[in-house]
Amino acid sequence: QPVQLETVDGVRCRLRIGEWDFDAQAVEQSQHNVLQLVGSQLLHDSSFLPKEQLAAFLEQLERAYVPENPYHSHVHAADMCSSLWYLMNKTDLCVDPDSTQAACMIAALGHDVGHFARNNVFLVATGDALAVTYNDMHVLENFHASSLARLLNESYGGTPGDHRALLSNLPSDSEQRARHLMTTLILGTDCSRHLDDLSRFRVRLRSVKFDPRNDSSDLQQSLGIMFRAADIGHSA
């Protein structure tokens, strides 16, 4: 069953959701459905997300993770989402409009969805069907992004006449931007890109024109770096 969406007073503080010391493993063991819990807490204030559809979407997203995968699991996704929330708040890049921030959280929750414990090198070397589909480029990352997109395309809700997609309240141009941001962030988690992207970010960071609050390109580059930091920052 999906977790209740109503934010209980103190639950985020008590469980440390959105803090660097959030323990996703411990919360999963004590509360269960940690992805649904983190998602419902951190997306609760996104006014354009219908609550019933959000609960159903989060339930389906958590189910789409492979239970037997010991690392790239729904627990890792919840941990990564909480870390990203922390980094965005601490750097004052909790951005407007709230659809951009929500897109970052949804991308974090879905960035490894369907992962089956193989890496890109293995898939390309063995001629896996996914490698063929994605032309040997960012194979798993493309797979995760498309899997998330399919879940976002589904309609949710049990109320008659209210069966709709999660992003249905967004204008089409805003939805397109949100989807593009999600895809870009997820594709950026391919570890083969990390050093090159980090080098480019360091160069841009030294520029006097670097302004992620007013330059959309700088913002997206900054979000991409934080997204990857959250993805691999569990040991920090």
Side-chain angles (χ1 to χ4, degrees), residues 41-52:
Q41 291 294 312
L42 298 184
L43 291 169
H44 182 269
D45 295 330
S46 296
S47 58
F48 68 94
L49 295 176
K51 303 310 179 193
E52 184 178 2

Side-chain angles (χ1 to χ4, degrees), residues 15 51 53 76 91 104 124 171 177 185 220:
L15 298 178
K51 303 310 179 193
Q53 282 72 19
H76 165 64
T91 54
C104 292
V124 171
R177 285 194 297 270
L185 291 174
Q220 183 156 314

Side-chain angles (χ1 to χ4, degrees), residues 70-230:
Y71 178 74
H72 298 95
S73 65
H74 72 283
V75 179
H76 165 64
D79 178 65
M80 192 267 205
C81 183
S82 178
S83 296
L84 180 62
W85 176 274
Y86 174 86
L87 292 172
M88 290 177 66
N89 276 275
K90 290 300 181 180
T91 54
D92 291 329
L93 285 182
C94 276
V95 290
D96 269 338
D98 71 342
S99 60
T100 303
Q101 182 170 326
C104 292
M105 296 301 108
I106 294 171
L109 292 170
H111 80 283
D112 273 335
V113 62
H115 201 299
F116 46 92
R118 300 292 186 273
N119 62 25
N120 286 338
V121 174
F122 176 85
L123 296 177
V124 171
T126 58
D128 188 89
L130 282 178
V132 175
T133 297
Y134 296 116
N135 300 308
D136 295 343
M137 299 180 64
H138 317 306
V139 179
L140 283 169
E141 293 73 26
N142 272 302
F143 168 64
H144 302 318
S146 65
S147 297
L148 177 60
R150 290 188 184 95
L151 288 172
L152 288 169
N153 282 342
E154 291 186 15
S155 295
Y156 302 95
T159 305
D162 193 30
H163 205 62
R164 51 190 166 134
L166 181 64
L167 303 181
S168 59
N169 287 338
L170 283 178
S172 59
D173 58 337
S174 297
E175 180 180 354
Q176 186 175 11
R177 285 194 297 270
R179 287 176 177 272
H180 180 265
L181 176 59
M182 286 185 251
T183 299
T184 300
L185 291 174
I186 294 173
L187 292 183
T189 61
D190 186 344
C191 61
S192 69
R193 297 175 45 175
H194 285 188
L195 293 180
D196 287 343
D197 286 352
L198 183 59
S199 177
R200 281 191 287 269
F201 182 67
R202 284 172 172 164
V203 171
R204 181 59 185 167
L205 196 60
R206 289 193 290 266
S207 171
V208 295
K209 296 182 179 180
F210 179 72
D211 184 8
R213 290 186 180 86
N214 298 300
D215 187 306
S216 59
S217 178
D218 285 345
L219 174 61
Q220 183 156 314
Q221 192 174 19
S222 300
L223 291 174
I225 292 295
M226 286 191 290
F227 199 82
R228 276 173 277 187

